[in-house]
Amino acid sequence: MKSLPITSLLLFSTSLLSANLIAANNSITPDDIMRFESLKKPVISDTGNMLAVEVTPDRGDSHGLVRNLVANKQFSVKGASKPKVSHDGRFVAFVDEVPLFESETASKKAKKKLKPGLVLLDTSTGEEIRYERVKSFEFNDKGTHLAIWFEAEESKKDEKSADNGQSAKSDIKVAKEDKGTTVELLSLKDLKSITFKDVTALSFDQSGLNFALAINNIETNKHELNLVKLADNSISTVHSLKQQQVGAIALSNDGNYLAFTYGDAKVAPFGREYELALLSLENNKLVETPKSADWTLNRYAELRFSDDSQRLFFGRVPQVAQQLELAKYEQQSDLFDKDIITSNRALRVWHGEDPRIKPHEVQQYKKEFKRTYLAVLHVKGNNLVQLADLDVPDIEVQQQQRYALASSDLPYRKMITWAGFYRDFYLVDLNTGRKIPLLTQQSSSEEPNLSPGEKFVSYYLHGNVFLYEIAQDRRINITKDLGVSFADEDHDYPSNAPSYGFGPWISDDAGLLIYDKFDIWQVNTLSNDTFKLTAGQGREQQIQYRVTGLVQDKEYPSVLANGDKVLLHGYNDITKGDGFYRAQIGVAGVTPLMDGDYKLKLLARSKDAQTIVYSKEQYDQFPDLYTAPVSAPQNAVRQTNLDKQRDAFNWGQSELVQWTNGDGKPLDGVLIKPTNYVEGQRYPVLVYFYRFMSDRLHAFPQMKINHRPNFAWYADNGYAIFLPDIRFEVGYPGETSVQALTSGVQHLIDIGVADPKAVGIQGHSWGGYQTAFAVTKTNIFKAAVTGAPVSNMTSAYSGIRHGSGLARQFQYETGQSRIGESLFKSPQKYIENSPVFYAERIKTPMMIMFGDKDDAVPWEQGVELYLAMRRAGKDVVFLQYQDEPHHLKKYPNKLDYSIRMMEYFDHYLKGMPAPKWLSEGEAYTEYKKAD
């Protein structure tokens, strides 16, 4: 730990801008994009007085920005990221990142030893305290203490003991999972700290009473539980064990209990069996907890008390066993023992009845190995109830006292391959473990919703919303007579349309809010009557209203009372602009607070105050942060000014364009005009798209180097950028995409913006497929760049998504690829929608890009397209980035691709000389490996 001088205090300034920004009005370059700073992870104190955010360039070192919202003071913290703020805002803790230059120049061996640290800012003084090699840190809920958990110390060779000069190395081999490291508990009141060695687990309670630590050192046979009373920082060892490794720990909020698990330290962690213990902190005596012959605990069991301290939740497993080992050759005869020889085979057996195909099973192995099945100990009666089991393994527990929701995908794991994801849902009685079936083969994305008072479960099914009355065991369709569907009206996939979701519940389970595409409806759960809380203004004005600005807590469902005023976010489907509005629960009507041609994103809300944090952006306005009372977002105070970075550059403008496709259907899109646009002059156009793009009309362009074209860079280099909406027809995704693209481009030509001889197209993944397909159907594009495209649906249909291990079949039958039938039922549709079969028709020069470790689309799809075009004698170049996934991750590759893409379009659309790599290719070369 080391203290640093007080940070310089910056008043009325909201951003430290790079000293390397170029002079105003110069052209944007990749260097400018790399240095352009963005905001990440804004957080606000519970009391609403302190805002912290990470300011980070696309490449380079980030810094932390902290704003005192009351005193209008600001601090900048060098090298900081991922802020956490104490309850009262006095302290802000950041990850102290390893500097990029140090990381980039370190050897592979040295790089592994580089670890981030922690920087703690005292906002009352501006003083920073930095700690090295920190693996995690956490404020307690009351903001009185900070726990800092350090990485293991670097090993020192030839360490000698002080007494005899001999090696201090112990003969006892300790598994890394059993080794503890140092924890420092810092009292924020006086900045005095307590240090603990060999810590393997720690726990704060939510009430701010206690802090507990599990301390284990197998070499010295030290296994104990320490407790710190946070009121006076007094320390006591409340329990010690012999030869028993302490596992997970948890404190009850009432200060009465410390729960922990323990297992035989002599047994390897992989197969160690644990027991549950409950320690009374009043008398330091163990409470004997019930046991079961059918269930036990392992090292992955986690403990958690309910907030009222009445229930202890933890995971159990049917059995624990050591990991299997391969047979070894131990004597000469073993070399000819067929059992020993074949036990060392490298084989995976794929069986037709496997629940999961092997790659998916492999990807899920660690998760399944760590899976535990939730149980609950009712503390008062010392009653243990197993909740999850082998048939219904997944339980979602909130703070309700009687019920929880459970689910199982086990019956549908085989059909995931072609049909997508489904689950059976249940209501589980926490007192008995009894499971009440709720829904069978429900889409996994449409989870039911348990009311806070545990009287109802709401759920969506086939376009309607239902209420299940638990006590009466009765189901009611509450939307069947409302004359509007609650299914996604824009759904164009070969599957059941999803819902628009649920809003908050009304207090005492008296009602709940539900969403259609535009309006919010309030449901009375007693009478089952409904009315439009937004008074129909949503559909009438084409504004999509949603409740926002509530305190977010996963364990506590949001609850509103009749008469409460609530903040709404509105998106205007016509203007593409956002707004904030007010509604009153129980009263129909909406009051506008602010709206316009901009995009609003609510980013944070203080837990114990009424302060919200949101960003406001346009294409030519950076999404700076604003704070305001939740009741009056229009009275916001701007807290950052990173938009100032744009002063150095010219900047284009965005506008909405509308046209009709060949079927007469209206379509929207975004046109980004080049900087210094001249009316009547025609420009080269870059078309970038995916599905719906018009909602980006007011979005600030992402200032990053990645697999996408950077809009600001292209606009400042004389390009117009076109972002058209695509609306698909099931069975004909390629054709309907081409209709939208060509009609949109023709509209730009007709209005005098696009140079018809200089229109390029770029897409990635699904957009890459559409790009590759489009040029088999039209010659309107003069150059195409396609990233990670599917080119042959017949071969891609049974490919593997290597990132998840899932087969790709479901994408075609029910998902994004929108064929709607299997390859066997409709082979012709797969062929008709596959660019590779029509490669000889292509007249557009094409650049294909793939990472050869693509985890979503088999990279051989790019090879197929390249080989087909090469065989047909077409103008094609293929960029294979080595060891890269679906989206490029390594910065040298991202920058290289971005530069080559610009060079490619400059050549074909602007007539600039072809770079050598494009005119001649590049020979394979091997480079000297770094030491």
Side-chain angles (χ1 to χ4, degrees), residues 217-232:
N217 189 319
I218 291 177
E219 292 177 308
T220 62
N221 195 22
K222 183 178 183 180
H223 306 279
E224 63 185 34
L225 289 160
N226 283 5
L227 186 73
V228 180
K229 293 190 175 298
L230 299 179
D232 59 5

mmCIF file of all heavy atoms in Angstrom, residues 217-232:
data_model
loop_
_atom_site.group_PDB
_atom_site.id
_atom_site.type_symbol
_atom_site.label_atom_id
_atom_site.label_comp_id
_atom_site.label_asym_id
_atom_site.label_seq_id
_atom_site.Cartn_x
_atom_site.Cartn_y
_atom_site.Cartn_z
ATOM 1 N N ASN A 217 -5.123 -23.007 6.752
ATOM 2 C CA ASN A 217 -3.738 -23.282 6.403
ATOM 3 C C ASN A 217 -3.475 -24.742 6.721
ATOM 4 O O ASN A 217 -3.273 -25.115 7.882
ATOM 5 C CB ASN A 217 -2.781 -22.384 7.178
ATOM 6 C CG ASN A 217 -1.352 -22.504 6.683
ATOM 7 O OD1 ASN A 217 -0.878 -23.596 6.383
ATOM 8 N ND2 ASN A 217 -0.653 -21.373 6.584
ATOM 9 N N ILE A 218 -3.517 -25.582 5.713
ATOM 10 C CA ILE A 218 -3.375 -27.024 5.921
ATOM 11 C C ILE A 218 -1.987 -27.361 6.447
ATOM 12 O O ILE A 218 -1.819 -28.275 7.263
ATOM 13 C CB ILE A 218 -3.675 -27.767 4.603
ATOM 14 C CG1 ILE A 218 -5.173 -27.629 4.266
ATOM 15 C CG2 ILE A 218 -3.275 -29.231 4.682
ATOM 16 C CD1 ILE A 218 -5.578 -28.256 2.955
ATOM 17 N N GLU A 219 -0.970 -26.608 6.011
ATOM 18 C CA GLU A 219 0.409 -26.903 6.442
ATOM 19 C C GLU A 219 0.574 -26.726 7.943
ATOM 20 O O GLU A 219 1.317 -27.476 8.579
ATOM 21 C CB GLU A 219 1.376 -25.999 5.688
ATOM 22 C CG GLU A 219 1.450 -26.308 4.188
ATOM 23 C CD GLU A 219 2.370 -25.354 3.455
ATOM 24 O OE1 GLU A 219 2.195 -24.139 3.618
ATOM 25 O OE2 GLU A 219 3.255 -25.837 2.733
ATOM 26 N N THR A 220 -0.086 -25.752 8.522
ATOM 27 C CA THR A 220 0.019 -25.516 9.966
ATOM 28 C C THR A 220 -1.187 -26.042 10.732
ATOM 29 O O THR A 220 -1.304 -25.819 11.931
ATOM 30 C CB THR A 220 0.168 -24.009 10.250
ATOM 31 O OG1 THR A 220 -0.999 -23.320 9.771
ATOM 32 C CG2 THR A 220 1.406 -23.452 9.564
ATOM 33 N N ASN A 221 -2.096 -26.727 9.991
ATOM 34 C CA ASN A 221 -3.326 -27.266 10.578
ATOM 35 C C ASN A 221 -4.134 -26.169 11.286
ATOM 36 O O ASN A 221 -4.647 -26.365 12.391
ATOM 37 C CB ASN A 221 -3.010 -28.404 11.558
ATOM 38 C CG ASN A 221 -4.257 -29.216 11.884
ATOM 39 O OD1 ASN A 221 -5.219 -29.212 11.118
ATOM 40 N ND2 ASN A 221 -4.245 -29.881 13.029
ATOM 41 N N LYS A 222 -4.238 -25.045 10.640
ATOM 42 C CA LYS A 222 -5.029 -23.940 11.171
ATOM 43 C C LYS A 222 -6.307 -23.804 10.356
ATOM 44 O O LYS A 222 -6.267 -23.514 9.165
ATOM 45 C CB LYS A 222 -4.234 -22.638 11.120
ATOM 46 C CG LYS A 222 -4.949 -21.440 11.727
ATOM 47 C CD LYS A 222 -4.061 -20.201 11.669
ATOM 48 C CE LYS A 222 -4.728 -19.007 12.346
ATOM 49 N NZ LYS A 222 -3.866 -17.799 12.301
ATOM 50 N N HIS A 223 -7.430 -24.015 11.002
ATOM 51 C CA HIS A 223 -8.733 -23.906 10.357
ATOM 52 C C HIS A 223 -9.671 -23.228 11.351
ATOM 53 O O HIS A 223 -10.043 -23.835 12.362
ATOM 54 C CB HIS A 223 -9.277 -25.289 9.964
ATOM 55 C CG HIS A 223 -8.343 -26.090 9.123
ATOM 56 N ND1 HIS A 223 -8.212 -25.915 7.767
ATOM 57 C CD2 HIS A 223 -7.449 -27.076 9.463
ATOM 58 C CE1 HIS A 223 -7.304 -26.757 7.297
ATOM 59 N NE2 HIS A 223 -6.825 -27.469 8.311
ATOM 60 N N GLU A 224 -10.040 -22.008 11.061
ATOM 61 C CA GLU A 224 -10.844 -21.274 12.040
ATOM 62 C C GLU A 224 -11.730 -20.234 11.365
ATOM 63 O O GLU A 224 -11.536 -19.868 10.197
ATOM 64 C CB GLU A 224 -9.950 -20.596 13.073
ATOM 65 C CG GLU A 224 -9.015 -19.549 12.507
ATOM 66 C CD GLU A 224 -8.055 -18.988 13.555
ATOM 67 O OE1 GLU A 224 -7.648 -19.755 14.449
ATOM 68 O OE2 GLU A 224 -7.720 -17.786 13.460
ATOM 69 N N LEU A 225 -12.685 -19.758 12.142
ATOM 70 C CA LEU A 225 -13.593 -18.705 11.721
ATOM 71 C C LEU A 225 -13.376 -17.494 12.602
ATOM 72 O O LEU A 225 -13.456 -17.588 13.841
ATOM 73 C CB LEU A 225 -15.051 -19.171 11.838
ATOM 74 C CG LEU A 225 -15.462 -20.227 10.808
ATOM 75 C CD1 LEU A 225 -16.699 -20.977 11.284
ATOM 76 C CD2 LEU A 225 -15.747 -19.569 9.467
ATOM 77 N N ASN A 226 -13.064 -16.369 11.962
ATOM 78 C CA ASN A 226 -12.876 -15.109 12.687
ATOM 79 C C ASN A 226 -14.074 -14.203 12.453
ATOM 80 O O ASN A 226 -14.646 -14.179 11.350
ATOM 81 C CB ASN A 226 -11.600 -14.406 12.232
ATOM 82 C CG ASN A 226 -10.350 -15.040 12.823
ATOM 83 O OD1 ASN A 226 -10.428 -16.064 13.501
ATOM 84 N ND2 ASN A 226 -9.202 -14.460 12.539
ATOM 85 N N LEU A 227 -14.406 -13.446 13.469
ATOM 86 C CA LEU A 227 -15.524 -12.515 13.379
ATOM 87 C C LEU A 227 -15.051 -11.135 13.814
ATOM 88 O O LEU A 227 -14.404 -10.981 14.855
ATOM 89 C CB LEU A 227 -16.679 -12.965 14.274
ATOM 90 C CG LEU A 227 -17.968 -12.145 14.159
ATOM 91 C CD1 LEU A 227 -18.674 -12.457 12.845
ATOM 92 C CD2 LEU A 227 -18.891 -12.409 15.346
ATOM 93 N N VAL A 228 -15.378 -10.138 12.994
ATOM 94 C CA VAL A 228 -15.084 -8.748 13.343
ATOM 95 C C VAL A 228 -16.411 -8.037 13.584
ATOM 96 O O VAL A 228 -17.278 -8.013 12.705
ATOM 97 C CB VAL A 228 -14.315 -8.034 12.216
ATOM 98 C CG1 VAL A 228 -14.012 -6.586 12.611
ATOM 99 C CG2 VAL A 228 -13.030 -8.783 11.880
ATOM 100 N N LYS A 229 -16.568 -7.493 14.777
ATOM 101 C CA LYS A 229 -17.732 -6.652 15.060
ATOM 102 C C LYS A 229 -17.418 -5.251 14.545
ATOM 103 O O LYS A 229 -16.507 -4.595 15.021
ATOM 104 C CB LYS A 229 -18.055 -6.653 16.551
ATOM 105 C CG LYS A 229 -18.541 -8.008 17.065
ATOM 106 C CD LYS A 229 -19.087 -7.923 18.478
ATOM 107 C CE LYS A 229 -19.665 -9.264 18.921
ATOM 108 N NZ LYS A 229 -20.799 -9.693 18.082
ATOM 109 N N LEU A 230 -18.158 -4.824 13.556
ATOM 110 C CA LEU A 230 -17.800 -3.619 12.829
ATOM 111 C C LEU A 230 -18.013 -2.342 13.629
ATOM 112 O O LEU A 230 -17.464 -1.298 13.277
ATOM 113 C CB LEU A 230 -18.591 -3.562 11.512
ATOM 114 C CG LEU A 230 -18.330 -4.742 10.554
ATOM 115 C CD1 LEU A 230 -19.180 -4.609 9.306
ATOM 116 C CD2 LEU A 230 -16.856 -4.833 10.187
ATOM 117 N N ALA A 231 -18.766 -2.409 14.690
ATOM 118 C CA ALA A 231 -18.998 -1.212 15.506
ATOM 119 C C ALA A 231 -17.710 -0.739 16.172
ATOM 120 O O ALA A 231 -17.461 0.466 16.276
ATOM 121 C CB ALA A 231 -20.060 -1.488 16.557
ATOM 122 N N ASP A 232 -16.868 -1.686 16.617
ATOM 123 C CA ASP A 232 -15.623 -1.304 17.293
ATOM 124 C C ASP A 232 -14.406 -2.006 16.705
ATOM 125 O O ASP A 232 -13.300 -1.902 17.240
ATOM 126 C CB ASP A 232 -15.723 -1.590 18.795
ATOM 127 C CG ASP A 232 -16.002 -3.062 19.094
ATOM 128 O OD1 ASP A 232 -16.022 -3.884 18.149
ATOM 129 O OD2 ASP A 232 -16.219 -3.392 20.273
#
